Amino acid sequence: MDEQEDLPKDMLEQLLKFVPEKADIDLLEEHKHELDRMAKADRFLFEMSRINHYQQRLQSLYFKKKFAERVAEVKPKVEAIRAASKEVFHSKSLKQLLEVVLAFGNYMNKGQRGNAYGFKISSLNKIADTKSSIDKNITLLHYLITIVEKKYPKVLNLHEELKDVPEAAKVHMTELEKEIGNLRSGLRAVEIELEYQKTQPSHPGDKFITVVSQFITLASFGFSDVEDLLAEAKELFTKAVKHFGEEPGKTQPDEFFGIFDQFLQAVTEAKQENENMRKRKEEEERRARMEAQLKEQRERERKARKAKENSEEGGEFDDLVSALRSGEVFDKDLSKLKRNRKRVTNQLADGSRERPVTKLNF
């Protein structure tokens, strides 16, 4: 027996694939006198065939090797159902959110199907399919989240209260019970083989009984814990399903928790989309304010320039009127006229002195 765990699982798998059939064993027995001339593979099969319950011993060893791994795969699934069932049953945020959803439904169906006391949880994800008649990108879920954020902000911490729901949504109870059933039957098969080996003559160096007995003791305790955990998980799941008005016998964990998981994902997406829309709106408003401020500033600058131009023109006109009233404009014009006449006279005089006189001879 592999007491020191020297044989790897993949080698055991290969050995199980090549367990000699009865016809092969009979043929090898007929030619056992030719053992020295046989190929290595045939000699190996011959030696293996001489071990009592060779296949059963290999299967027991392989189950022992895989047991802890298979329990480690099954146990988290059971724990996920157990934890998720508690979460949906006790979550205050989920309860308050469903109350808001019911209020929305009664308001929208007022006069038709209003005043309902509850609704099927399968209808929960239809909220995301109810689109606005104004903007098809906005759904009832977007509006629901907007209201909840304002009125009941703590409700949106729903994910923290339902953190095990996504894992539980991956578990199918029938498949889980099948896996646990395989573990139970496998463990039982090892126990049967152990009882058989105890009735056989002992061989020196054969530690099958010792090793397998220790394994059975430890594995039985471990498997008992898994079974107890499954019984508790099934009880809590049934309680949660009934709490939401569903039928336990017709509802699987992947269906039940899948509804909440899908809704949680939709809430997260819609919440992010609301945030994106809010940011876009704030950016548009910021740009509009900047454009309005820029336009206002340009208008002020235009008015300032126009006022300055009018002020300058008005100043020149005022100076001219003042000069006319005081007579200064005439004094200036008369002085200017005298200066112009004097300058012309001087130019003519200078021209006469500089022009040469041509002497004519007759």
Side-chain angles (χ1 to χ4, degrees), residues 254-268:
D254 57 337
E255 298 171 355
F256 180 73
F257 295 116
I259 293 171
F260 293 108
D261 183 39
Q262 183 181 347
F263 182 67
L264 289 174
Q265 293 179 28
V267 167
T268 300

Side-chain angles (χ1 to χ4, degrees), residues 8-26:
K9 290 191 295 290
D10 55 351
M11 183 179 289
L12 286 170
E13 288 178 6
Q14 296 302 317
L15 288 173
L16 284 169
K17 288 180 182 178
F18 295 102
V19 170
E21 301 289 338
K22 186 178 185 304
D24 298 329
I25 295 173
D26 293 341

Side-chain angles (χ1 to χ4, degrees), residues 143-312:
Y143 182 67
L144 173 68
I145 292 174
T146 301
I147 297 300
V148 170
E149 281 181 329
K150 292 179 180 178
K151 302 292 185 179
Y152 317 103
K154 292 183 179 180
V155 169
L156 293 181
N157 295 327
L158 193 63
H159 296 77
E160 298 176 5
E161 296 183 11
L162 305 179
K163 59 181 183 296
D164 290 295
V165 166
E167 286 302 316
K170 301 174 185 177
V171 182
H172 193 280
M173 184 64 80
T174 303
E175 293 297 323
L176 178 61
E177 290 181 329
K178 183 179 179 181
E179 292 179 37
I180 293 177
N182 290 336
L183 279 173
R184 186 184 297 108
S185 60
L187 192 59
R188 180 58 185 158
V190 176
E191 290 175 343
I192 292 173
E193 182 59 24
L194 177 62
E195 294 301 320
Y196 171 80
Q197 291 294 334
K198 287 179 178 180
T199 64
Q200 300 302 306
S202 61
H203 298 279
D206 187 358
K207 298 182 179 180
F208 182 90
I209 295 176
T210 303
V211 173
V212 172
S213 295
Q214 293 176 355
F215 165 71
I216 290 293
T217 301
L218 295 174
S220 297
F221 278 114
F223 184 69
S224 178
D225 289 341
V226 173
E227 286 190 310
D228 292 342
L229 193 64
L230 177 63
E232 183 185 3
K234 290 173 71 174
E235 182 181 350
L236 291 170
F237 176 68
T238 300
K239 185 178 179 181
V241 170
K242 288 182 178 179
H243 180 68
F244 287 94
E246 303 295 329
E247 298 182 31
K250 297 181 180 179
T251 307
Q252 291 286 339
D254 57 337
E255 298 171 355
F256 180 73
F257 295 116
I259 293 171
F260 293 108
D261 183 39
Q262 183 181 347
F263 182 67
L264 289 174
Q265 293 179 28
V267 167
T268 300
E269 292 174 4
K271 186 178 178 182
Q272 184 60 51
E273 288 168 0
N274 275 356
E275 183 64 23
N276 294 339
M277 286 188 287
R278 189 180 298 114
K279 288 180 179 179
R280 283 196 299 269
K281 184 178 179 181
E282 290 175 355
E283 181 64 19
E284 290 172 0
E285 291 176 351
R286 187 184 67 83
R287 289 180 180 178
R289 286 196 302 269
M290 289 180 65
E291 290 176 0
Q293 291 173 359
L294 184 59
K295 184 177 180 181
E296 184 179 350
Q297 182 179 353
R298 288 174 178 172
E299 182 65 19
R300 286 198 303 267
E301 291 175 352
R302 186 187 66 80
K303 290 180 178 179
R305 286 195 301 271
K306 186 174 181 181
K308 184 177 180 182
E309 291 172 358
N310 291 339
S311 176
E312 290 176 352

Side-chain angles (χ1 to χ4, degrees), residues 326-343:
S326 63
E328 292 178 359
V329 65
F330 301 109
D331 294 339
K332 291 178 181 178
D333 289 342
L334 182 60
S335 300
K336 185 177 180 181
L337 179 60
K338 289 179 179 180
R339 285 197 301 271
N340 288 340
R341 286 179 179 175
K342 185 176 181 181
R343 185 167 57 253

Side-chain angles (χ1 to χ4, degrees), residues 1 5 31 62 91 93 99 123 178 226 288 296 358:
M1 192 64 185
E5 304 289 341
H31 295 85
Y62 184 68
S91 175
S93 295
E99 289 176 355
S123 305
K178 183 179 179 181
V226 173
E296 184 179 350
T358 305

